[in-house]
Amino acid sequence: MMAMTLCISTGIAAKNKKKAEQPLKPMNEFVSELMSKMTVQEKIGQLNLLPSGDIQTGISENSPISESIRQGRLSAILNLKGVDHILKLQKMAVEESRLGIPLIFGMDVIHGYETIFPIPLALSCSWDIPAIEQSARIAAKEATADGLSWTYSPMVDICVDPRWGRVAEGAGEDPFLGSRIAEAMVRGYQGTPDANSQLSKVNMLACLKHYALYGASEAGRDYNTVDMSRVRMYNQYFPPYKAAIEAGVGSVMSSFNTVDYIPATANKWLLTDVLRHQWKFDGFLVTDYGAINEMMNHGLGNQQQVAALALKAGTDMDMCSEAFTATLEKSLQEGKISMDDIDQACRRVLEAKYKLGLFADPYRYCDKKRRATDIYTPEHRLAARNLAAETFVLLKNDGLLPLKKQGTIALIGPLADSKNNIPGSWAPTATYQYPTLREGMERALKGKATLLYAQGSNICRDAVLQADGSFSRTIPRGDDDQLKQQAIETARKADVIVCAMGELQEMSGECASRSNLELFDVQHELLEELLKLGKPIVLLNFAGRPTVLIWEQQHLPAILNVWFAGSETGDAICDVLFGDKSPSGKLTTSMPQNTGQIPVYYNHLNTGRPVEEGTQKFFKYQSNYLDVRNEPLYPFGYGLSYTSFEYSDITLSSHQMNADGTITASVTVKNTGSYDADEVVQLYIRDVVASISRPVKELKGFQRIHLNAGESQTVTFTITPDLLKFYDYNLNEVIEPGDFDIMIGPNSRDVKKKTLTVL
Ligand code: BGC
């Protein structure tokens, strides 16, 4: 009875009402009224996020989670899949807790729900912002059809160190492209809220992560120390976070690492001064998994101390530490935190629930009918297939690709037929029933060519490494020599060999750092043996990060980087391999010549002792290596096509620009080959003289265009003052008069250049 009364008086949909959404009071008023009825414990309960634990496997009625729900000590649940489970717990919260406050159900919906898109690093290589936005929209539609309302995406951490496995989850090394993708993902997930700030039922709350600088872990080792100057933070690492905030992201996740020697989760400068005051973020901030408790390991005190630090710094929700529920009441009594601190966090969480429409209808995401119509639909799968094809990066092609659908083709390699390794590392909602490359090729070649298959090798010789790197999503292990012999026998009968090699999908992603980025031993040895057959070989490289492919570049005629392309991998690879589509992906991370070159990235500073770009010699007392040149093997922005493109010189509408004016820069791009194809035209600038040292190149624009064979198009970029601004030594955003190089080209290396003077 009590729950009923309060529900009605606060406007929460009362139990058993199967009505349309209830009209609510305006958000502020509604939340204030609700909070006036809450006890301290209930308020702290709103700051508590826990994993579903046993509930996913069936036990629910009397689990600790259920008890917390009934007592109003739990606000949100993560990683519970399935509308039936979710509905049951939501009912428990609404009908059995004193105030009936609904739960939020969150999940790592990172690159699709059951229709799986390519991993985010791959997605970024499409440079196709509308399609990336659509991928998030589809993910939200599917996830909300299954009961979820909150995703822990987008991950926008800039990373220049591909030893870090989580490079797979972001958009690569560039802040400009990363920002455009961050905004697109937020728009895709959240849609456009209505006049009452509420999201629609097919949209979900996004969570920007990992704030901040997580991608700069020292030596690429996950969870490791981060230390960098604020100038670098503002210019290179912060832009994608800021862009997502400006796009209206509803929640932010703090990162595991330290920032200026204080763990992000307790860093007031980061969470309040920058996030709230400078960037005006008005959603709620959740920690990463267990991050509050981890602060004890960081050496910041006991659980009570670190929980208080986190709250006071600006953390609103505790993910899985149970540190807020365990200690905040005591800290309040002891005067270590104030009621205002708790109220502020509680209000932000309740506001998010309001925006999700959960107070109007707590079951709005629990429409059981939607599963049949909204998930893994032909339309979604087609979008995933098309986008996957755009993410593949053609690294080398001596005229071998596209392959003809004729003769005998040998498909060899440990990734060719592994269902376990199709979706990519961050797809916990995937069903793992997706077709493999082998199945895709069988379909594509049916009645036209003969397909032979052999696994060819283990992932690596070391069985322990293969097991540790697989999260039980491994491939069958066999005897190294036997596997190799079978592959050689199979390949001998073929006209052309397609090798599907690389890492297991779990060898990138969280806690999947690697210190050597070459193709693994046994796979490399197999390639050497296959080469001896004298037949043309295509390498399809499956990877969640840049791979060191120098030997392969020197010895193989064709290399297509296919990343982990999601549920439609099999068909999407065939689309490109057999020429129905021309490859158009462009790298968003530089691919190094060797692991020791890392970090190698295009937007570096010049140094006082630069060597000329492209030089093949070593220069004593200059900034270079004895044993390798400075350039990566494949630069940022690089990717070949089946056709060729010719770029004209740049035309500037004016060689001078007022600091508050604009000019345009244009090139004409011609498709000079014989395939219709897409091209990503890229604009870079260099601020030649400034008050601080500035990067040698910075991406400031890009356009993805389609040109039929023989066709030309003039591509025009508008150069605005915003594009020329940077954060100076005092962290003021400024445009400084002087010369700027304006560069346009098909990648960051092969650019045309003109000089612009800003007055
Ligand atoms: C990861 C986050 C993720 C969270 C919840 C953490 O380990 O760092 O990216 O969202 O778990 O699954």
Side-chain angles (χ1 to χ4, degrees), residues 623-650:
S623 180
N624 57 169
Y625 299 97
L626 278 168
D627 57 350
V628 67
R629 299 288 65 83
N630 285 356
E631 284 71 33
L633 182 58
Y634 308 111
F636 176 86
Y638 173 88
L640 303 171
S641 167
Y642 291 157
T643 197
S644 48
F645 296 101
E646 208 175 82
Y647 280 63
S648 73
D649 283 336
I650 301 174

Side-chain angles (χ1 to χ4, degrees), residues 438-662:
R438 183 187 183 184
E439 289 165 339
M441 282 177 78
E442 268 161 3
R443 213 175 10 245
L445 297 176
K446 199 164 179 196
K448 296 178 187 134
T450 308
L451 183 70
L452 308 175
Y453 164 75
Q455 182 182 315
S457 74
N458 292 308
I459 281 293
C460 49
R461 185 167 282 115
D462 181 346
V464 176
L465 171 57
Q466 181 168 325
D468 284 349
S470 77
F471 259 88
S472 69
R473 288 176 194 146
T474 188
I475 53 156
R477 272 194 79 85
D479 175 77
D480 288 327
D481 287 335
Q482 243 172 32
L483 288 169
K484 188 157 64 185
Q485 275 320 310
Q486 281 161 3
I488 292 167
E489 289 318 312
T490 306
R492 222 188 275 287
K493 298 181 207 134
D495 305 310
V496 57
I497 306 168
V498 176
C499 289
M501 296 185 166
E503 357 173 73
L504 292 171
Q505 67 169 29
E506 302 294 333
M507 287 178 160
S508 58
E510 187 169 352
C511 195
S513 298
R514 286 181 57 192
S515 68
N516 179 352
L517 302 190
E518 289 167 19
L519 214 56
F520 286 111
D521 42 22
V522 282
Q523 298 189 51
H524 174 80
E525 288 160 21
L526 174 61
L527 274 179
E528 283 188 320
E529 289 303 317
L530 293 173
L531 258 186
K532 290 184 192 155
L533 299 176
K535 310 206 179 215
I537 299 182
V538 184
L539 172 63
L540 301 176
N541 186 43
F542 286 71
R545 52 154 60 84
T547 313
V548 169
L549 292 171
I550 189 121
W551 181 90
E552 291 75 7
Q553 165 71 23
Q554 284 160 0
H555 293 91
L556 304 177
I559 309 173
L560 184 68
N561 214 72
V562 294
W563 314 106
F564 288 98
S567 53
E568 311 313 309
T569 296
D571 291 334
I573 291 181
C574 290
D575 289 343
V576 173
L577 195 60
F578 298 111
D580 295 326
K581 291 175 184 160
S582 176
S584 56
K586 303 266 191 171
L587 294 177
T588 57
T589 42
S590 306
M591 278 212 184
Q593 300 192 52
N594 63 30
T595 313
Q597 253 192 333
I598 294 169
V600 56
Y601 52 97
Y602 86 97
N603 48 354
H604 57 84
L605 302 187
N606 202 33
T607 81
R609 296 189 177 196
V611 289
E612 203 180 319
E613 204 180 319
T615 187
Q616 293 309 311
K617 282 193 341 208
F618 164 74
F619 289 93
K620 191 74 181 165
Y621 303 120
Q622 297 297 111
S623 180
N624 57 169
Y625 299 97
L626 278 168
D627 57 350
V628 67
R629 299 288 65 83
N630 285 356
E631 284 71 33
L633 182 58
Y634 308 111
F636 176 86
Y638 173 88
L640 303 171
S641 167
Y642 291 157
T643 197
S644 48
F645 296 101
E646 208 175 82
Y647 280 63
S648 73
D649 283 336
I650 301 174
T651 306
L652 295 182
S653 61
S654 166
H655 290 264
Q656 294 189 334
M657 179 177 135
N658 290 327
D660 57 356
T662 60

Side-chain angles (χ1 to χ4, degrees), residues 78-79 108 152 166 169 209-210 214 253 256 288-289 319 426 510:
L78 91 151
N79 294 346
D108 288 286
Y152 306 117
R166 302 197 81 168
E169 295 176 43
K209 70 187 190 187
H210 306 85
Y214 184 27
M253 187 187 295
F256 291 125
D288 204 343
Y289 203 112
M319 185 195 286
W426 233 160
E510 187 169 352

Side-chain angles (χ1 to χ4, degrees), residues 240-483:
Y241 304 119
K242 183 164 181 268
I245 305 291
E246 283 166 3
V249 73
S251 65
V252 170
M253 187 187 295
S254 60
S255 56
F256 291 125
N257 53 280
T258 52
V259 172
D260 286 340
Y261 290 79
I262 300 176
T265 303
N267 191 316
K268 189 158 191 292
W269 173 76
L270 195 68
L271 303 191
T272 297
D273 298 355
V274 177
L275 189 64
R276 302 269 175 199
H277 298 159
Q278 291 176 26
W279 297 349
K280 313 283 178 234
F281 172 60
D282 66 357
F284 75 95
L285 186 127
V286 61
T287 72
D288 204 343
Y289 203 112
I292 298 184
N293 285 348
E294 287 179 19
M295 285 199 268
M296 296 190 267
N297 287 338
H298 278 291
L300 267 84
N302 62 27
Q303 194 187 41
Q304 187 187 351
Q305 288 167 321
V306 295
L309 282 174
L311 184 75
K312 289 200 86 64
T315 299
D316 302 310
M317 191 183 273
D318 167 2
M319 185 195 286
C320 305
S321 284
E322 294 188 85
F324 278 180
T325 44
T327 67
L328 287 190
E329 228 184 311
K330 184 161 182 259
S331 292
L332 181 66
Q333 282 154 11
E334 292 170 2
K336 300 206 166 103
I337 58 166
S338 68
M339 200 56 226
D340 281 352
D341 295 329
I342 294 175
D343 277 350
Q344 172 177 268
C346 178
R347 174 174 289 277
R348 288 174 183 152
V349 172
L350 293 174
E351 283 177 356
K353 293 186 176 185
Y354 183 99
K355 289 177 189 163
L356 278 171
L358 292 172
F359 289 120
D361 176 6
Y363 308 117
R364 73 196 296 248
Y365 294 104
C366 295
D367 178 352
K368 291 191 188 178
K369 285 192 248 84
R370 280 185 59 197
R371 184 159 235 294
T373 52
D374 288 4
I375 298 183
Y376 199 46
T377 63
E379 187 197 346
H380 293 177
R381 293 184 61 193
L382 183 62
R385 175 173 175 170
N386 288 339
L387 185 45
E390 290 185 3
T391 68
F392 302 148
V393 183
L394 183 62
L395 298 173
K396 180 174 181 191
N397 189 17
D398 280 352
L400 175 59
L401 293 179
L403 296 182
K404 295 202 172 60
K405 290 180 184 170
Q406 65 183 34
T408 302
I409 300 174
L411 173 64
I412 310 278
L415 275 314
D417 198 25
S418 167
K419 284 206 188 289
N420 277 340
N421 287 282
I422 290 299
S425 69
W426 233 160
T429 49
T431 58
Y432 293 100
Q433 291 310 311
Y434 311 114
T436 63
L437 172 60
R438 183 187 183 184
E439 289 165 339
M441 282 177 78
E442 268 161 3
R443 213 175 10 245
L445 297 176
K446 199 164 179 196
K448 296 178 187 134
T450 308
L451 183 70
L452 308 175
Y453 164 75
Q455 182 182 315
S457 74
N458 292 308
I459 281 293
C460 49
R461 185 167 282 115
D462 181 346
V464 176
L465 171 57
Q466 181 168 325
D468 284 349
S470 77
F471 259 88
S472 69
R473 288 176 194 146
T474 188
I475 53 156
R477 272 194 79 85
D479 175 77
D480 288 327
D481 287 335
Q482 243 172 32
L483 288 169

